[in-house]
Amino acid sequence: MNILILGSGGREHALAWAVLQNPKCDKLIVAPGNGGIGQIAECAALDPEDAGAVVDFCAEEAIDFVIIGPEAPLAAGVADALRDAGILTFGPSKAAAALEASKAFTKEICDACDAPTAAYARFTEAGSAKDYIRQQGAPIVVKADGLAAGKGVIVAMDEAEAIAAIDDMFGGSFGGAGAEVVIEEFLEGEEASFFVLSDGKTVLPIGTAQDHKRVGDGDTGPNTGGMGAYSPAPVMTDAITMKTMKEIIEPSMAEMARRGTPFQGVLFAGLMIKDGQPKLIEYNVRFGDPECQCLMLRLGAQALDLLLAASEGRLDEMQVTWADDHAMTVVMAADGYPGSYEKGSIIKGLDDLPETSYEMCFHAGTKREAGVVTAVGGRVLALTARGESLQEARDKAYALVGRVDWPEGFNRTDIGRRALPD
Ligand code: AMP
Ligand code: GLY
């Protein structure tokens, strides 16, 4: 089978790596890919958000199956265009991708199916939003309704910060994404990421993880796309997983089907857990990055079988085979990230790193030319390892980090800190 993966991050490198382990894959193309992906698959200069170009490319290259990595092509309807053209596709329709593309829509679904989530109100105008903030008091959370590349959420510890966020959003800082704002109750507890596959009828859990969103050690500094992750998340006990499925995931998926917009793809629920009760923070309609790097190392070749089954409506036939193992990924980012950073610094030491099903260096923002790897993004590498214990996975992941020779890069030194003894 000829397979196309859309995207260019560490998530897509990990997906490509897992897909290639499976003998069903005859040929793999990743568009646009990156410097690491180019070492294991063909990369194509194709805009993943240009539905017409993607459909034409699939015809030219005789592609049998498309896996869509990031949210932007999903929100742009690329999965719909591919399915209309008769191409088997992993990823939700534009209508179902609204679970990530509109925070207000997700709240509507939670209301309709009684899924526990933070109390909220929606605003399209600054004056009433500010009145509401003054009424509720801080801490409070202000969110741009639309896609804002992970930057549209302000967790405000005082009223002034929340009011400033309102001015920012209605002032156009987030473009169209900030035309509507959702203001939410601040939830306390422990966060976890929960991943399920859905084929529109059957829902299958495929793993849990914990991300580290803040840039600095000890969860300090600004939010990022994620500086590291580990899987499984100890807070997701069997009882909490079951509660999450029954109270949040299954009712949400049933509501989407009831509306005539069934969800097919991977649903990534961001949860807050307190006193044994999970509440939904947000849905994403794609794998998390860097959570995906952990999940793929743990799932290996069966990932392709699972994604195919989700796309073909056969999830009821599938089960996930788990080793009793742990994975951790540590992100190396360019100095300055998530603020402005330089591009073009040279990264050495990568060719000597092990590439096994226990230790992988997934590339995110890299370019490779004449054998030289340069950093071209904010998050640049995701050093990922698996072990029998979280401690073993952590030791191996940080050993990989230690072998990368990149003076212009940095990483958090405390990934997994909440799950490991001091
Ligand atoms: P999101 O982009 O929705 O994942 O939000 C980014 C981060 O903001 C989340 O991972 C949480 O840490 C935090 N967050 C979002 N909503 C809330 C909330 N209602 N209460 C507390 N923290 C939140
Ligand atoms: N790591 C968080 C995300 O992918 O949204």
Side-chain angles (χ1 to χ4, degrees):
M1 145 176 279
N2 297 335
I3 300 175
L4 172 68
I5 297 178
L6 297 180
S8 63
R11 167 181 52 210
E12 286 75 25
H13 192 179
L15 286 167
W17 174 84
V19 161
L20 283 167
Q21 316 293 311
N22 191 309
K24 287 197 184 76
C25 178
D26 296 313
K27 177 172 155 186
L28 177 65
I29 305 179
V30 183
N34 64 38
I37 295 171
Q39 294 293 98
I40 61 170
E42 187 181 329
C43 291
L46 175 67
D47 175 2
E49 289 171 53
D50 184 340
V54 173
V55 169
D56 290 347
F57 182 85
C58 289
E60 281 158 29
E61 297 288 336
I63 296 295
D64 303 298
F65 183 44
V66 180
I67 300 167
I68 303 181
E71 63 276 19
L74 295 166
V78 172
D80 306 73
L82 284 164
R83 280 196 275 267
D84 286 348
I87 299 162
L88 188 65
T89 301
F90 179 79
S93 65
K94 179 175 178 163
L99 284 175
E100 176 164 359
S102 167
K103 296 192 188 291
F105 177 78
T106 295
K107 289 296 195 185
E108 235 174 78
I109 295 292
C110 288
D111 284 349
C113 69
D114 274 334
T117 183
Y120 74 103
R122 297 163 62 165
F123 299 93
T124 50
E125 170 286 306
S128 48
K130 289 181 187 176
D131 288 345
Y132 181 77
I133 288 170
R134 288 190 191 103
Q135 230 173 53
Q136 299 291 316
I140 195 158
V141 183
V142 180
K143 300 185 172 185
D145 175 63
L147 292 180
K151 299 197 178 96
V153 174
I154 309 295
V155 181
M157 285 301 149
D158 58 55
E159 265 180 50
E161 195 185 345
I163 301 252
I166 292 295
D167 284 332
D168 229 29
M169 286 181 192
F170 287 118
S173 290
F174 297 95
E180 179 164 358
V181 164
V182 173
I183 304 182
E184 259 184 29
E185 164 200 11
F186 172 78
L187 297 176
E188 284 177 72
E190 189 162 358
E191 280 189 71
S193 305
F194 183 51
F195 295 87
V196 301
L197 294 179
S198 167
D199 62 8
K201 309 181 294 280
T202 303
V203 188
L204 184 68
I206 54 160
T208 64
Q210 220 149 24
D211 189 9
H212 296 58
K213 289 232 167 77
R214 302 288 184 137
V215 72
D217 281 357
D219 294 326
T220 54
N223 260 323
T224 69
M227 294 300 293
Y230 56 92
S231 169
V235 64
M236 292 299 289
T237 58
D238 287 349
I240 293 193
T241 301
M242 212 176 311
K243 217 170 161 56
T244 305
M245 287 294 283
K246 290 280 163 261
E247 294 181 7
I248 301 176
I249 308 289
E250 285 171 357
S252 299
M253 294 292 90
E255 176 62 17
M256 292 300 286
R258 196 191 64 75
R259 291 178 177 222
T261 52
F263 183 92
Q264 183 260 70
V266 57
L267 185 70
F268 157 10
L271 303 171
M272 189 72 88
I273 294 134
K274 189 171 177 229
D275 301 332
Q277 177 64 51
K279 286 191 180 179
L280 183 72
I281 297 179
E282 61 162 0
Y283 280 133
N284 297 295
V285 299
R286 50 165 176 90
F287 282 105
D289 186 342
E291 293 95 324
C292 185
Q293 289 83 316
C294 289
L295 293 181
M296 289 305 127
L297 209 64
R298 296 188 64 212
L299 289 170
Q302 67 180 318
L304 176 59
D305 297 318
L306 291 165
L307 302 196
L308 276 170
S311 309
E312 292 174 338
R314 295 186 288 101
L315 271 184
D316 57 337
E317 298 168 9
M318 302 301 288
Q319 61 191 37
V320 184
T321 312
W322 284 116
D324 189 12
D325 62 359
H326 298 257
M328 181 177 291
T329 185
V330 180
V331 169
M332 295 187 79
D335 283 341
Y337 174 81
S340 59
Y341 51 83
E342 300 278 321
K343 289 184 182 176
S345 54
I346 294 174
I347 309 169
K348 294 188 194 143
L350 300 178
D351 289 337
D352 306 327
L353 295 181
E355 290 185 10
T356 70
S357 58
Y358 288 89
E359 291 168 291
M360 278 299 299
C361 172
F362 294 118
H363 289 223
T366 70
K367 190 169 81 175
R368 189 178 187 107
E369 264 172 356
V372 177
V373 178
T374 51
V376 294
R379 291 189 297 166
V380 173
L381 299 171
L383 289 310
T384 309
R386 186 157 72 95
E388 276 179 34
S389 65
L390 184 60
Q391 186 65 51
E392 187 188 341
R394 183 180 198 281
D395 291 345
K396 282 192 195 157
Y398 275 103
L400 293 174
V401 170
R403 290 171 64 175
V404 176
D405 178 5
W406 182 34
E408 295 82 1
F410 74 97
N411 57 272
R412 274 185 65 161
T413 63
D414 64 347
I415 303 302
R417 72 187 179 100
R418 272 182 253 110
L420 289 167
D422 287 332

